[in-house]
Amino acid sequence: RPLVLDGGLGTWLEFLGRDVSGQLWAARLLHEAPDALRSAHADFVAAGADVVMTATSQCSREALVALLDIDEEAAARLVARSVTLARDGTRAALRRLSQGSGGICGGGGGGGGRLPHGLVAAAIGPYGASVEGESEYSGRYGRRLGAPALAAWHAWRVDVLLSAGADVLAFETVPCVTEVVALCTLLQSRPAARAWLSLACRSAAELQSGERLADAVDAIEQYDISGQVEAIGVNCAAPLLASPLLRAIRARSPRPLVAYPNSGEVWDEWAHGWVAVGPDGAPSAESAAAGAERFGRLARQWAADGAVLIGGCCRTRPDHIAAVARELRAAEEEGRHRHGTTLLRP
């Protein structure tokens, strides 16, 4: 069955009472509260996540140096620490699960006698998230900077995270075709690296930049000449948009797919808080628990659409990930029964 990704690390930490405001987002806790990060990673593994992502999606060398008043060597040590914390949190959760203590949300580590895989993905968010704030939602910097400059900017974080031992690179929330080209070009000079590339989209056919989704997928096929991008997909989109996006990607590429949408909640400017929305996009009185269960049921469809990596982005908590793990496990069991297999899990 598909591997289960973790959920929204920054928003989970925020839910737990941690201050993740500001340009660095969760990365500030690499410096201020590393134990909180370690524990948050463990929460997601205990819920059933096979893969956890480092707290580095929204940080850069320049921002770390300027905002934390540290030098470049210290900045590199912090970024490398993100891999260690993710690994340590994963191991702690796996030890508890192997001793039968179970998951914090009933996920049971995936259940059925199988422990999570314990993989660490290096989160590499877009240039706009670290340097130009809200421009990650428009990708307007792409054509102005060009692919060579963007590749050079990403190189430092990529190299630090690879050297620290991350299992895979997670290029995520990529909003424009130029940045897709930059990331694929960057991989060419690092032949041992493997990655997934997840796009930020504003509709079932468009990136946040307004460029065609099809052009972004075609760019991966053109510039990833060695097949280092092992999965293509979407993150931080509304859950109901995930399936149309996955199908549009599948129409352009045979590669495996990845999906980790947000919770579907929206920010209410008047109430200054997040509110649940229903399938029709209208405000909903749905409870948090019901929202997590609905998210898990949608994960079945994402798997049917070809996703081999499935999790959550902003505002998805361990209970969302536990629901995903349960639903994917149930779908796997149903498939075995339909095909008459009596094979046992390893």
Side-chain angles (χ1 to χ4, degrees), residues 184-224:
C184 291
T185 303
L186 186 65
L187 287 176
Q188 293 174 15
S189 57
R190 292 154 181 80
R194 294 294 180 268
W196 76 67
L197 200 157
S198 184
L199 300 161
C201 300
R202 68 186 191 186
S203 74
E206 293 178 308
L207 303 181
Q208 290 287 1
S209 63
E211 296 167 293
R212 296 196 319 150
L213 171 64
D215 291 340
V217 178
D218 290 350
I220 296 172
E221 296 300 322
Q222 178 180 351
Y223 288 94
D224 180 34

Side-chain angles (χ1 to χ4, degrees), residues 158-159 162-163 165-169 171 186-195 224 226-230:
V158 165
D159 289 338
L162 287 174
S163 296
D167 297 305
V168 64
L169 299 172
F171 296 137
L186 186 65
L187 287 176
Q188 293 174 15
S189 57
R190 292 154 181 80
R194 294 294 180 268
D224 180 34
S226 298
Q228 292 171 263
V229 176
E230 296 189 345

Side-chain angles (χ1 to χ4, degrees), residues 23-46:
Q23 186 176 340
L24 293 174
W25 193 228
R28 66 183 291 180
L29 300 186
L30 293 168
H31 180 67
E32 297 175 358
D35 288 346
L37 279 171
R38 185 186 297 111
S39 178
H41 289 307
D43 290 343
F44 283 113
V45 176

